[in-house]
């Protein structure tokens, strides 16, 4: 049996949000009355509406089954770009702007297979230097050039 | 005349040296980043948003507006020289613009786009000055029920901008509304959807979400294409259009401006729709319609005038009613809120310098673009040569530092990563992000007006239907919803957006 997997997945995501947010609105918050609405009233309404949409999209995925190809999934890029951002968040204060930015952008560079490691080092060194000059020195963003791990 | 008094107040703000500088910085950065293929106005504004926080509200909005029309302008340069639309609204410009460039007439094409944009910008500035104030007074008769209905109109019309399934777009709006409620409830102080996190008490970080959804998602999409091939960059050559070019430009410029100004005001309109409609109209009415597709200057001037006019008149509902008619305006509303200015009809009376200053600065910015762009074409050509492998780590770096600098905390940076991943997944599933962002920005306002309306009416839901203005707006919302679901319109909508890719 064939289904439109994209629509089905969309419906499932909507349903997950509708159910969990609806559950939280009804159980952890006061719902109140239509005149004096509590914090849970409006989100509960929205969750209900989202569940209706979710049901509609999921049912439709069995009826209108033709789908467009999902296309290539750039796993390498997804993982490494996310890793670069998270690494910066984790190390920014410890390493500081210059080394922190260098590490993060180097990880980002490895996301593209077309950047050789040497080129990656050059690009990320350039970006780190540029960002340090622009943000830390010129715009006074409160992130020191070298962070606390360097004893600063 | 009142309008002239107001405009002169506006110019006195816009021409302050410091604001001139912000305006210049805005149009310059906007053009520079807009030129880069693969970074549209949305990503540009999201990237540069954090830089505007230290400024005064006037400075910040003047700069953001400058970034917006600057990036539009930069997009057309890329379209003409590289046949890559730097942003969606200049997609039709590639058709005749690149043909002209191939025939060695890139210079006149660029000049035509610049002059058309400037003319459109001038007209649109006056239109905004004329239309925004009366609309504001109308808005004073609005109660919570009317606002609720008006926001619904705004949300529903964002569906017209989405290319895929209407149902999914509605789902994305609701998802945006739901997530926007994260944080402390303003009426009761109760915590909502914070999962025990203290950082989430103030809600999700709007800038981080916008950067993740537009910036990072775009990076991932570009990295998925095995190679982002750019064509060869055309030579610019002589810039000044000939006398016959000028003669051929006048009518398309006026028609384009008229079309763009009208479509820009409509919710869901704005620059993108304007340029498509203007090109198609021009192709039908122009005496040189045979040349279209083979390098007709009309095919460059009309859509470029239209998209600039549309970009500017879309400020009208944002400034006067506080309702964004497209996603860029949603980002502007976000910026106003972050500046502590509550968008809506109150702005004109509480912050007249802000209101009229922005309007006047638009004209100043357009004049700067005209003077800046033609001499700097060489610089833009250099920017076009930057390979994507250098650009995308830069985008990631800017996103991280931008969000960090806003509240001096790394918490927002994680939100960028999550928003990027979720945004990419949803795009892959053909759910579009713009309706989500509109819902996310308008969610708190929608809830507030809903609660107030229900409180005033004593819990009677029919209040939305019995107050005439609110009923009228709800009918409009219904009509828009029905129209976008009609199979014929739906098909047309898809075609328009397929062309754009």
């Amino acid at each position: 049996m064939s289904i439109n997997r994209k629509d089905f997945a969309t419906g499932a995501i909507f349903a997950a949000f509708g159910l969990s947010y609806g559950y939280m609105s009804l159980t952890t918050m006061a719902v109140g009355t239509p005149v004096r609405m509590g914090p849970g009233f409006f989100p509960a309404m929205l969750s209900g509406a989202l569940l209706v949409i979710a049901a509609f999209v999921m049912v439709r995925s069995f009826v209108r089954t033709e789908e467009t190809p999902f296309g290539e999934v750039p796993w390498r890029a997804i993982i490494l770009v996310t890793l670069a951002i998270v690494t910066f968040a984790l190390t920014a204060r410890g390493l500081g702007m210059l080394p922190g930015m260098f590490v993060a952008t180097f990880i980002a560079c490895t996301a593209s297979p077309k950047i050789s490691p040497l080129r990656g080092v050059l690009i990320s060194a350039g970006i780190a230097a540029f960002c340090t000059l622009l943000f830390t020195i010129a715009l006074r963003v409160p992130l020191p050039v070298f962070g606390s791990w360097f004893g600063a | 005349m009142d309008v002239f008094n107001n405009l002169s107040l506006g110019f006195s703000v816009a021409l302050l040296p410091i604001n001139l500088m912000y305006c210049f910085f805005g149009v310059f950065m906007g053009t520079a980043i807009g030129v880069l293929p693969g970074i549209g106005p949305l990503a540009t504004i999201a990237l540069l948003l954090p830089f505007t926080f230290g400024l005064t509200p006037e400075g910040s909005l003047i700069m953001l507006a400058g970034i917006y029309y600057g990036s539009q302008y930069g997009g057309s340069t890329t379209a003409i020289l590289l046949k890559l639309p730097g942003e969606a609204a200049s997609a039709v410009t590639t058709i005749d613009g690149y043909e002209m460039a191939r025939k060695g007439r890139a210079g006149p094409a660029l000049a035509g786009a610049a002059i058309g944009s400037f003319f459109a910008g001038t007209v649109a500035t006056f239109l905004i000055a004329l239309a925004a104030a009366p609309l504001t007074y109308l808005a004073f008769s609005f109660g919570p029920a009317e606002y609720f209905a008006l926001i619904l109109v705004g949300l529903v019309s964002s569906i017209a901008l989405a290319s895929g399934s209407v149902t999914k777009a509605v789902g994305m709006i609701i998802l945006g509304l739901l997530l926007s409620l994260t944080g402390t409830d303003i009426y009761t102080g109760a915590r909502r959807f914070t999962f025990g996190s203290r950082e989430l008490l103030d809600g999700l970080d709007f800038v981080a979400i916008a950067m993740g959804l537009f910036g990072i998602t775009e990076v991932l999409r570009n990295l998925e294409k095995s190679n982002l091939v750019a064509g060869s960059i055309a030579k610019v050559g002589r810039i000044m259009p000939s006398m016959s070019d000028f003669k051929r430009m006048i009518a398309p410029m006026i028609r384009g401006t008229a079309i763009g100004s009208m479509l820009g005001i409509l919710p869901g309109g704005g620059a993108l729709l304007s340029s498509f409609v203007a090109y198609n109209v021009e192709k039908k009415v122009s005496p040189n319609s045979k040349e279209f597709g083979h390098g007709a200057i009309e095919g460059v001037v009309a859509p470029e005038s239209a998209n600039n006019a549309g970009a500017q008149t879309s400020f009208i509902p944002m400034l006067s009613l506080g309702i964004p008619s497209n996603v860029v305006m949603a980002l502007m509303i976000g910026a106003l809120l972050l500046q502590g200015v509550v968008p809506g009809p109150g702005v004109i009376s509480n912050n007249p310098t802000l209101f009229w200053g922005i309007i006047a600065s638009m004209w100043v910015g357009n004049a700067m673009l005209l003077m800046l762009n033609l001499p700097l074409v060489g610089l833009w050509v250099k920017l076009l040569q930057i390979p994507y492998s250098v650009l995308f780590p830069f985008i990631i770096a800017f996103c991280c530092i931008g969000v960090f600098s806003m509240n001096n905390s790394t918490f927002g940076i994680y939100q960028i990563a999550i928003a990027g991943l979720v945004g990419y997944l949803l795009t892959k599933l053909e759910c579009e992000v713009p309706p989500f962002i509109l819902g996310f920005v308008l969610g708190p306002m929608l809830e507030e007006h809903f609660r107030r309306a229900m409180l005033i009416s004593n819990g009677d839901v029919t209040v939305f239907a019995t107050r005439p203005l609110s009923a009228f707006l709800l009918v409009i919302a219904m009509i828009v919803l029905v129209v976008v679901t009609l199979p014929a319109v739906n098909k047309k909508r898809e075609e328009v957006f397929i062309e754009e890719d």
Side-chain angles (χ1 to χ4, degrees):
Chain A
M1 171 171 133
S2 70
I3 59 166
N4 182 328
R5 282 165 299 173
K6 280 185 182 176
D7 275 4
F8 190 82
T10 307
I13 293 172
F14 286 172
F17 270 99
L19 284 174
S20 56
Y21 272 63
Y23 178 79
M24 283 187 279
S25 321
L26 293 174
T27 55
T28 64
M29 300 164 200
V31 177
T33 63
V35 185
R36 292 207 169 273
M37 285 179 217
F41 197 99
F42 195 63
M45 254 174 60
L46 290 176
S47 305
L50 192 57
L51 281 175
V52 173
I53 298 281
F56 182 86
V57 176
M58 283 172 95
V59 168
R60 193 180 62 181
S61 71
F62 291 95
V63 183
R64 225 177 56 183
T65 53
E66 71 276 22
E67 59 175 7
T68 46
F70 193 74
E72 199 180 323
V73 180
W75 287 114
R76 173 173 175 165
I78 293 174
I79 294 168
L80 289 166
V81 167
T82 310
L83 187 68
I85 299 171
V86 171
T87 305
F88 186 74
L90 287 172
T91 60
R93 287 194 195 283
L95 287 174
M97 181 70 93
L98 190 64
M101 204 72 246
F102 176 77
V103 171
T105 42
F106 182 75
I107 297 174
C109 283
T110 56
S112 165
K114 284 190 294 182
I115 306 179
S116 68
L118 177 67
R119 209 172 126 88
V121 169
L122 291 176
I123 292 173
S124 32
I127 293 176
F130 177 83
C131 288
T132 308
L133 284 175
L134 178 65
F135 294 105
T136 303
I137 295 170
L139 293 172
R140 310 257 164 94
V141 169
L143 191 61
V145 180
F146 292 98
S148 54
W149 294 346
F150 294 93
Chain B
M1 269 274 299
D2 235 16
V3 175
F4 287 102
N5 284 337
N6 290 328
L7 275 181
S8 70
L9 170 69
F11 277 108
S12 70
V13 177
L15 293 176
L16 286 177
I18 185 87
N19 287 338
L20 277 178
M21 205 187 76
Y22 293 141
C23 187
F24 176 80
F25 186 73
V27 293
F28 184 82
M29 288 301 290
T31 315
I33 297 187
V35 162
L36 303 171
I39 312 179
L42 276 175
T44 311
I45 295 177
L47 281 177
L48 297 177
L49 205 51
F51 296 99
T52 64
F53 289 133
L55 314 180
T56 57
E58 286 88 5
S60 144
L61 263 282
I62 284 174
M63 193 165 126
L64 282 173
I67 293 168
Y68 180 37
Y69 42 78
S71 68
Q72 295 245 309
Y73 191 88
S76 57
T77 306
T78 317
I80 291 168
L81 293 180
L82 204 58
K83 208 186 178 184
L84 269 181
E87 42 102 16
S90 50
V92 279
T93 312
T94 57
I95 306 171
D96 278 286
Y98 190 68
E99 281 306 311
M100 283 183 75
R102 272 190 20 183
K103 293 182 177 154
R105 304 204 335 116
L110 289 170
I115 296 166
S117 297
F118 176 70
F119 173 78
T122 309
V123 173
T125 303
F126 274 100
L127 272 180
I128 298 174
L130 284 173
L135 260 181
T136 306
Y137 295 119
L138 175 72
F140 277 121
S141 58
F142 276 29
E146 282 76 17
Y147 270 110
F148 177 80
L150 187 64
I151 295 170
L152 275 189
V153 175
L155 288 174
V156 168
S157 25
S158 77
I159 300 169
L161 275 177
S163 62
S165 141
V166 172
T167 328
K168 282 178 171 175
V170 174
M172 290 297 279
I173 293 175
I174 302 176
L175 201 56
L177 292 170
L178 210 46
L179 290 182
S180 75
L181 302 179
T182 306
T184 314
D185 173 34
I186 46 165
Y187 283 91
T188 59
R191 293 166 186 199
R192 299 199 282 185
F193 313 117
T194 56
F195 304 97
S197 145
R198 260 190 43 232
E199 281 100 339
L200 280 180
L201 286 181
D202 294 331
L204 292 167
D205 186 339
F206 167 71
V207 178
I209 302 283
M211 281 184 166
L213 289 179
F214 295 113
I216 302 300
T217 300
E218 225 163 75
V219 164
L220 290 175
R221 282 185 52 165
N222 284 331
L223 287 176
E224 120 193 346
K225 292 169 200 149
S226 331
N227 38 2
L228 191 79
V229 217
S232 53
I233 301 167
K235 287 233 161 32
V236 177
R238 204 176 84 105
I239 286 179
M240 273 322 273
S242 65
M243 223 32 223
S244 74
D245 282 337
F246 270 121
K247 283 206 188 101
R248 287 174 59 176
M249 275 162 55
I250 295 172
M253 207 155 77
I254 295 171
R255 280 191 287 262
T257 304
I259 292 169
S261 305
M262 279 186 295
L263 291 178
I265 304 176
L266 295 182
L272 179 60
L273 198 61
S274 309
S275 58
F276 279 97
V277 175
Y279 185 82
N280 287 325
V281 167
E282 203 54 42
K283 204 169 162 182
K284 289 215 171 70
V285 303
S286 168
N288 303 318
S289 61
K290 281 210 184 86
E291 276 182 51
F292 274 66
H294 307 285
I297 195 163
E298 291 92 337
V300 176
V301 176
E304 284 301 316
S305 310
N307 80 31
N308 206 33
Q312 264 175 269
T313 53
S314 62
F315 274 85
I316 293 177
M318 193 279 277
L319 283 173
S320 54
L321 307 173
I323 303 298
S325 60
N326 58 40
V327 189
V328 175
M329 291 305 126
L331 290 173
M332 297 273 176
I333 296 240
L336 276 177
L337 288 169
L338 289 166
Q339 287 281 354
V341 177
V342 182
V347 175
I348 193 170
S349 46
N350 300 336
N351 310 63
T353 51
L354 172 70
F355 187 91
W356 296 105
I358 296 173
I359 293 176
S361 84
M362 289 180 188
W363 189 80
V364 176
N366 274 293
M368 281 183 185
L369 276 175
L370 187 63
M371 290 184 284
L372 186 75
N373 277 303
L374 296 175
L376 285 184
V377 136
L379 176 66
W380 307 142
V381 171
K382 287 244 158 50
L383 278 175
L384 280 175
Q385 290 160 341
I386 299 179
Y388 198 70
S389 54
V390 178
L391 275 182
F392 85 85
F394 241 116
I395 297 175
I396 294 169
F398 265 60
C399 286
C400 290
I401 301 176
V403 168
F404 175 86
S405 65
M406 268 176 52
N407 26 27
N408 194 9
S409 129
T410 52
F411 186 70
I413 304 178
Y414 296 107
Q415 295 180 41
I416 305 179
I418 295 168
L421 285 177
V422 173
Y424 182 69
L425 173 68
L426 288 169
T427 324
K428 273 286 194 189
L429 294 174
E430 286 160 24
C431 295
E432 298 197 43
V433 176
F436 174 88
I437 278 286
L438 221 51
F440 189 77
V441 171
L442 291 172
M445 283 190 249
L446 188 71
E447 184 190 24
E448 193 192 331
H449 291 301
F450 181 63
R451 279 161 98 167
R452 277 186 17 209
M454 293 295 275
L455 185 67
I456 294 169
S457 75
N458 239 327
D460 181 7
V461 196
T462 57
V463 64
F464 298 106
T466 49
R467 290 186 56 122
L469 208 50
S470 146
F472 173 71
L473 289 167
L474 285 179
V475 169
I476 292 182
M478 298 269 272
I479 293 173
V480 174
L481 198 56
V482 170
V483 167
V484 291
T485 356
L486 290 179
V489 178
N490 222 335
K491 199 157 159 277
K492 187 87 200 157
R493 214 161 43 95
E494 272 163 33
E495 277 168 19
V496 166
F497 283 91
I498 285 164
E499 262 182 78
E500 165 206 326
D501 292 327

